[in-house]
Amino acid sequence: MSHDRAIAVERRVNSAVWSAWADALGFISELTDEAGLRRRMGGGHELREPVKWQRRVGGKFGVTTNLPAGTYSDDTQLRLAVGRAIRPSGFDPEVFAKVELPIWTSYALGGGRASKAAAASITNPAVPWFGNFFKDWTAAGGNGAAMRIQPHVWAAPNPGPNGSYLMDVLADAVITHGHPRALVGALFHAMSLGYALDRGTVPLPEHWLVMIDEMHQYPSSLREHPVLSLWCAAWERESGQSFDDVWKATLVEVTEMLPAAEVFASEGATAAAGAGAGAGAGESASFDQIYVRLIQELGLQAPETRGSGTGTVVAALALALAGAEFPLPILRLAVGALGTDTDTIASMAAALLGAVRSESPPGPLMDREYIEAEAGRLAAIALGEQPESKFSYPDLLRWEPPKTQADAVGLIDGVPAVAGLGVCDRMENAGSVKNFTWSWASLDFGQTVLVKHRSTLVELAETQHPGLRQSRPTVPPRGRQLGIEPASAEPTVSEVGAAEIVEPEFSSASPVYRRRIPRRDQELNVDAMLDWVRARGYSDEAVGYAVRRIAELGTTEQMIAFTSTLKAEIKVRREPHRRSD
């Protein structure tokens, strides 16, 4: 491995690990007060590293369950989902929108209103990824887009502030968010991370304004894009406003935040150095007050601006610059600021810090091997390589998302599986309410999820099966232990449909289930593709996807047959319009 390649890979892997670690740490203090934090941690422990804790999942009618040390939230979950949708050929917004988002709601640990509303809306087969117009979508300006866009930067051959990957960032963002505040925040964070990866330093204040200036061009770029131009026009029709005017106003909003961020970055760096050297209580109190001023200036605790797509991004950048030499005091400061969006701010700051630091964060992190492997795969893509992936998506020509969140888990030939994602190597009960159960599931490609499902599992429809894997061992190894303690006085795993599950590898309170899955027929059906394109009105997106699938799996003859038929049908559709003229 060359020196330059080793550095490029290290920066991306460290960025991924640090951001997930900070997410796991900030998840513990998210949306709670001091009393709630003590309850979660089982006492008066200081929040310095990820620890095991308890949280209620599933809302009012959910369960209180144990979360292992290093459990990450929706920030890292969606970041991993975006990363899976990036291949050497680029980002596929349709598989992210149509497969990842709907299934994410069944295992989401957190998540903003816009992201969840978007995930519910996109399940409609008639809704394209670039037309996900749910209620109040034009006003969705939170940080749910910015928090997940790092994989686009990790996979970018040119991660600098002008890289072409920034249009993928926008394509990703508009799937769930509509207000320019969310889009500008996503771009600003992506540019900052790209700068850090490219140069090995967190961007300084003099570079912040340069990045803001670069963003003035993006309304024009959206209008010139073959698909995003449609989204932009729909935004103006729905909102009754000029997109360009609101975009410019948002850039002014960000620019006005920068002086406070610059002051904090300077004072915070000095305080972090003192804290890193073991400062006393007086210095620590002063350190807290420095961040309190920034919180007030940016409205990070105010209910109406707490999760802003701009304020949280600016705060993360200021924190990263302050912590460039001593990251741990700064990140602990961020997660300790109760009432702010602790996990997201810390996670975005840590993504920047990881790109410029060589050490690893302390303490445990769930799925660390998988996170490192995915970041390494994205780094290989950035370097122009063709890395193999353990993961594959179902064919969108056949895919149908589950009707409800609880139906996302079922059986494939008697083996538990999460629709569209993968087979469960193991499942461990985390609690049940009536006919619903929450289980920790270790998926065959390496990720661990706490997923809600029906207590009695049934076979998944063929249209909901995960994508094909290269092979599965008939007699697998015992598998990795999840290290999860079941909640007290909870039902046993027998209530998770154990009677219907075949071939348990061993018998215990939390058995492992895994069996070879027969390979499904992968023969390409051109007629079925034509029917699929017709049902979608011969849209550019449908035609493009079908052509790509034939290019990947079909023959030259099939490509000729498909395009010839398509040309004739589209010509017939246009003829009446020509005659009427």
Side-chain angles (χ1 to χ4, degrees), residues 141-502:
N143 57 31
M147 73 183 192
R148 69 171 188 257
I149 53 78
Q150 295 87 350
H152 298 292
V153 195
W154 297 332
N158 171 24
N162 295 313
S164 59
Y165 69 93
L166 292 170
M167 289 306 295
D168 283 342
V169 168
L170 289 175
D172 182 349
V174 303
I175 295 171
T176 57
H177 289 72
H179 196 281
R181 188 172 289 113
L183 275 58
V184 166
L187 282 178
F188 195 30
H189 181 57
M191 288 179 172
S192 301
L193 179 57
Y195 185 101
L197 289 174
D198 191 42
R199 306 194 185 188
T201 61
V202 178
L204 296 171
E206 55 262 35
H207 300 120
W208 299 353
L209 287 174
V210 174
M211 292 187 289
I212 296 294
D213 188 58
E214 290 289 339
M215 281 191 275
H216 280 282
Q217 66 178 299
Y218 280 94
S220 297
S221 298
L222 284 167
R223 295 184 191 283
E224 294 168 2
H225 192 278
V227 173
L228 296 180
S229 59
L230 303 175
W231 179 91
C232 193
W235 190 92
E236 292 190 323
R237 287 196 304 270
E238 180 73 16
S239 69
Q241 302 178 81
S242 164
F243 186 82
D244 297 65
D245 289 348
V246 178
W247 185 274
K248 290 176 183 176
T250 304
L251 293 180
V252 171
E253 174 185 301
V254 176
T255 302
E256 292 175 346
M257 295 177 180
L258 299 184
E262 183 176 356
V263 170
F264 170 81
S266 176
E267 296 180 350
T270 301
E283 290 84 349
S284 177
S286 175
F287 192 13
D288 292 342
Q289 288 304 310
I290 293 170
Y291 191 43
V292 166
R293 289 201 300 271
L294 183 65
I295 288 171
Q296 293 171 344
E297 290 277 353
L298 303 186
L300 301 181
Q301 286 178 327
E304 63 274 15
T305 54
R306 178 168 48 212
S308 163
T310 52
T312 53
V313 166
V314 172
L317 179 56
L319 285 161
L321 186 56
E325 295 299 325
F326 296 94
L328 287 176
I330 282 291
L331 295 176
R332 289 166 178 159
L333 177 69
V335 303
L338 303 182
T340 69
D341 197 348
T342 51
D343 56 340
T344 298
I345 295 173
S347 183
M348 290 192 293
L352 296 166
L353 287 167
V356 303
R357 305 296 304 177
S358 59
E359 72 271 28
S360 297
L365 174 61
M366 180 176 280
D367 297 337
R368 177 168 180 155
E369 290 184 5
Y370 174 59
I371 292 168
E372 290 178 341
E374 273 294 279
R377 183 182 67 84
L378 296 172
I381 291 174
L383 293 166
E385 301 169 6
Q386 300 284 322
E388 294 183 1
S389 175
K390 294 181 180 179
F391 183 85
S392 60
Y393 284 106
D395 192 335
L396 290 187
L397 294 172
R398 307 173 65 196
W399 166 252
E400 294 180 2
K403 299 298 183 184
T404 69
Q405 295 176 12
D407 291 323
V409 179
L411 304 174
I412 300 178
D413 291 345
V415 180
V418 177
L421 294 188
V423 174
C424 302
D425 283 348
R426 52 189 306 123
M427 290 183 72
E428 298 183 17
N429 184 285
S432 299
V433 174
K434 294 185 178 180
N435 297 321
F436 299 101
T437 295
W438 282 258
S439 293
W440 286 101
S442 173
L443 297 174
D444 59 354
F445 56 87
Q447 186 171 358
T448 304
V449 295
L450 178 59
V451 63
K452 178 183 179 181
H453 58 86
R454 299 188 186 278
S455 296
T456 299
L457 300 180
V458 298
E459 288 284 326
L460 286 174
E462 182 78 10
T463 54
Q464 295 171 357
H465 283 195
L468 296 171
R469 307 293 195 258
Q470 292 182 349
S471 63
R472 297 187 191 279
T474 303
V475 182
R478 179 173 177 132
R480 54 195 167 91
Q481 296 288 337
L482 298 183
I484 296 161
E485 300 175 7
S488 59
E490 297 290 358
T492 65
V493 76
S494 62
E495 294 186 30
V496 191
E500 302 177 33
I501 302 174
V502 299

Side-chain angles (χ1 to χ4, degrees), residues 425-581:
D425 283 348
R426 52 189 306 123
M427 290 183 72
E428 298 183 17
N429 184 285
S432 299
V433 174
K434 294 185 178 180
N435 297 321
F436 299 101
T437 295
W438 282 258
S439 293
W440 286 101
S442 173
L443 297 174
D444 59 354
F445 56 87
Q447 186 171 358
T448 304
V449 295
L450 178 59
V451 63
K452 178 183 179 181
H453 58 86
R454 299 188 186 278
S455 296
T456 299
L457 300 180
V458 298
E459 288 284 326
L460 286 174
E462 182 78 10
T463 54
Q464 295 171 357
H465 283 195
L468 296 171
R469 307 293 195 258
Q470 292 182 349
S471 63
R472 297 187 191 279
T474 303
V475 182
R478 179 173 177 132
R480 54 195 167 91
Q481 296 288 337
L482 298 183
I484 296 161
E485 300 175 7
S488 59
E490 297 290 358
T492 65
V493 76
S494 62
E495 294 186 30
V496 191
E500 302 177 33
I501 302 174
V502 299
E503 295 186 15
E505 187 181 332
F506 65 93
S507 178
S508 73
S510 300
V512 174
Y513 304 113
R514 189 171 179 180
R515 194 179 73 176
R516 182 184 176 113
I517 305 299
R519 185 179 180 87
R520 300 197 309 275
D521 182 14
Q522 198 179 1
E523 181 180 352
L524 194 67
N525 188 328
V526 174
D527 289 335
M529 283 194 169
L530 285 167
D531 288 340
W532 185 79
V533 171
R534 291 173 189 131
R536 285 154 179 77
Y538 301 88
S539 69
D540 292 347
E541 196 70 11
V543 171
Y545 178 78
V547 168
R548 191 180 71 185
R549 295 296 289 167
I550 297 174
E552 292 173 344
L553 301 175
T555 65
T556 302
E557 291 76 13
Q558 287 175 318
M559 180 66 80
I560 293 172
F562 176 81
T563 53
S564 298
T565 304
L566 194 64
K567 179 179 180 181
E569 292 183 4
I570 291 176
K571 183 177 180 181
V572 169
R573 282 167 57 87
R574 289 179 175 175
E575 284 299 330
H577 299 289
R578 292 176 179 172
R579 286 194 293 269
S580 64
D581 292 340

